[in-house]
Amino acid sequence: MSQPTPPKDTALTPAFWSPAYPRIQIWRTLLGIITIHVIFFAVTIGVFFAGAAFLQTDVTQMLDVSPTRTAMIFVTFIGYHIGLWIVLRVLHKRGFRSLFGPARRVNWRHFRRGVLIALGVNLAAILVQMLQPFFLPTLPEASAAQSLPLITWAILVIPALILVFIQIFAEELVFRSYLLQQLRARFRSIWIWAILPSLIFGLLHFDPQTYGINAVFYVLHTTVIGIVLAVVTLRTGNIGAAAGLHFANNAMLIFSGTKGTLDGFSLFLSEMDLTSAHMGVSILSQTAVVLVAFLLWSRRAGHVQPIANTAQAD
């Protein structure tokens, strides 16, 4: 059976997904994503047991120490990088850097812009939350306190930023590079190359034990984020902007976090009921801010890479 080849217009003007050609068969993509996650879970188990052995303790006791628990969780994302490297080499016969698009490198200018935009969006979300008492008069007070000594936190900042960098690039390369390239090269429908993978991405964040009914709103939030990042990636033709947005958003946790989440590196922690209606409103308001920011950007941004104008692959 002959291998699929890129349409003529894609061959003449390389798009973000063009490195996926010619091995875009669905069976390869499905086997690839399964293999990546098998390797990820294997590495996760290895990291936790290796960490427990290094600290001369058992896994359960290690997880009781908040900075250590958070660090271990972030380190496990190395498994995604390893899984991607193996799958790309064995199943798709292409290099790891092809995940960055035809240029085979990250556009760091886009990354910096993504960081600045994410900081702006987070500031806007904070301002929106400050208005909540006007339409939620029974809003309970959220107590905030310093959770780490300043010197300890200062020592942890650089390692924490490195771990966040590893984590966000792992997720972006799996969902906004590998899956996006493979599916966009094969299908034209946004439902297949953006919405479906983003829904999977969102469902991976489903945590009813922590969030209760708000876990549904959190899945919605992360799904919307995934769709936005997929469209941003294709329109900029590089993973840089999406990675910058993701990095700045997650790096905020190093300064301020919510108790009960990934709070091990946070200088300040606030305590609030993650299952409350107020938390649900907070999540939905953040989602609304993201959508407004995306619509404003979309109206002003030039479409460097069209998102659905290339003929479907054979």
Side-chain angles (χ1 to χ4, degrees):
M1 181 181 296
S2 61
Q3 296 284 1
T5 56
K8 292 181 179 179
D9 56 347
T10 305
L12 293 173
T13 308
F16 177 74
W17 59 86
S18 60
Y21 292 109
R23 295 174 176 84
I24 59 174
Q25 296 89 346
I26 292 302
W27 71 265
R28 290 183 189 270
T29 304
L30 290 175
L31 180 58
I33 202 67
I34 291 171
T35 303
I36 288 168
H37 281 88
V38 167
I39 293 173
F40 168 71
F41 287 120
V43 170
T44 296
I45 294 171
V47 164
F48 277 107
F49 279 97
F54 178 77
L55 297 173
Q56 296 182 340
T57 184
D58 60 59
V59 174
T60 55
Q61 289 180 340
M62 181 182 66
L63 293 179
D64 290 336
V65 184
S66 188
T68 304
R69 178 183 68 244
T70 302
M72 290 294 100
I73 290 173
F74 280 124
V75 169
T76 62
F77 283 88
I78 292 175
Y80 268 154
H81 293 278
I82 296 173
L84 279 167
W85 188 88
I86 292 173
V87 164
L88 289 169
R89 289 288 181 179
V90 175
L91 273 179
H92 302 284
K93 311 299 181 184
R94 60 183 175 112
F96 187 84
R97 291 196 302 166
S98 67
L99 293 172
F100 303 142
R104 297 180 181 271
R105 63 181 179 82
V106 177
N107 187 320
W108 294 110
R109 183 167 59 89
H110 288 177
F111 182 88
R112 290 192 296 272
R113 287 182 179 177
V115 167
L116 293 175
I117 292 173
L119 292 176
V121 169
N122 275 281
L123 177 60
I126 291 172
L127 294 175
V128 169
Q129 289 181 32
M130 290 174 64
L131 298 175
Q132 285 188 17
F134 291 100
F135 52 90
L136 289 174
T138 58
L139 182 68
E141 293 186 4
S143 59
Q146 186 171 329
S147 63
L148 292 173
L150 188 59
I151 294 178
T152 302
W153 179 79
I155 293 172
L156 290 174
V157 165
I158 299 301
L161 286 173
I162 293 173
L163 289 174
V164 170
F165 189 84
I166 292 171
Q167 178 257 325
I168 67 97
F169 258 101
E171 291 188 346
E172 291 307 308
L173 291 176
V174 170
F175 291 96
R176 258 72 65 181
S177 284
Y178 176 71
L179 266 181
L180 183 56
Q181 286 179 335
Q182 290 297 126
L183 295 177
R184 179 59 190 91
R186 185 67 182 84
F187 301 99
R188 296 178 64 185
S189 174
I190 191 173
W191 288 92
I192 297 177
W193 55 257
I195 296 177
L196 179 59
S198 297
L199 179 59
I200 295 172
F201 178 71
L203 288 172
L204 289 175
H205 292 80
F206 184 64
D207 186 6
Q209 184 175 356
T210 300
Y211 292 97
I213 188 61
N214 292 330
V216 175
F217 300 134
Y218 194 55
V219 167
L220 174 64
H221 177 74
T222 50
T223 299
V224 169
I225 294 292
I227 295 170
V228 167
L229 294 179
V231 174
V232 166
T233 297
L234 291 195
R235 286 188 172 175
T236 59
N238 193 271
I239 197 66
L245 290 164
H246 199 161
F247 176 76
N249 184 71
N250 286 20
M252 292 287 290
L253 294 173
I254 298 174
F255 180 74
S256 178
T258 303
K259 190 171 183 180
T261 58
L262 287 175
D263 55 17
F265 297 135
S266 301
L267 177 60
F268 296 101
L269 278 180
S270 60
E271 289 194 50
M272 62 184 302
D273 184 2
L274 299 179
T275 66
S276 67
H278 299 93
M279 184 62 185
V281 171
S282 177
I283 294 173
L284 291 175
S285 65
Q286 291 178 49
T287 307
V289 170
V290 169
L291 284 173
V292 170
F294 171 71
L295 291 174
L296 291 173
W297 170 83
S298 185
R299 290 189 58 149
R300 297 188 60 183
H303 297 179
V304 178
Q305 289 290 358
I307 64 174
N309 71 336
T310 303
Q312 182 176 347
D314 293 329

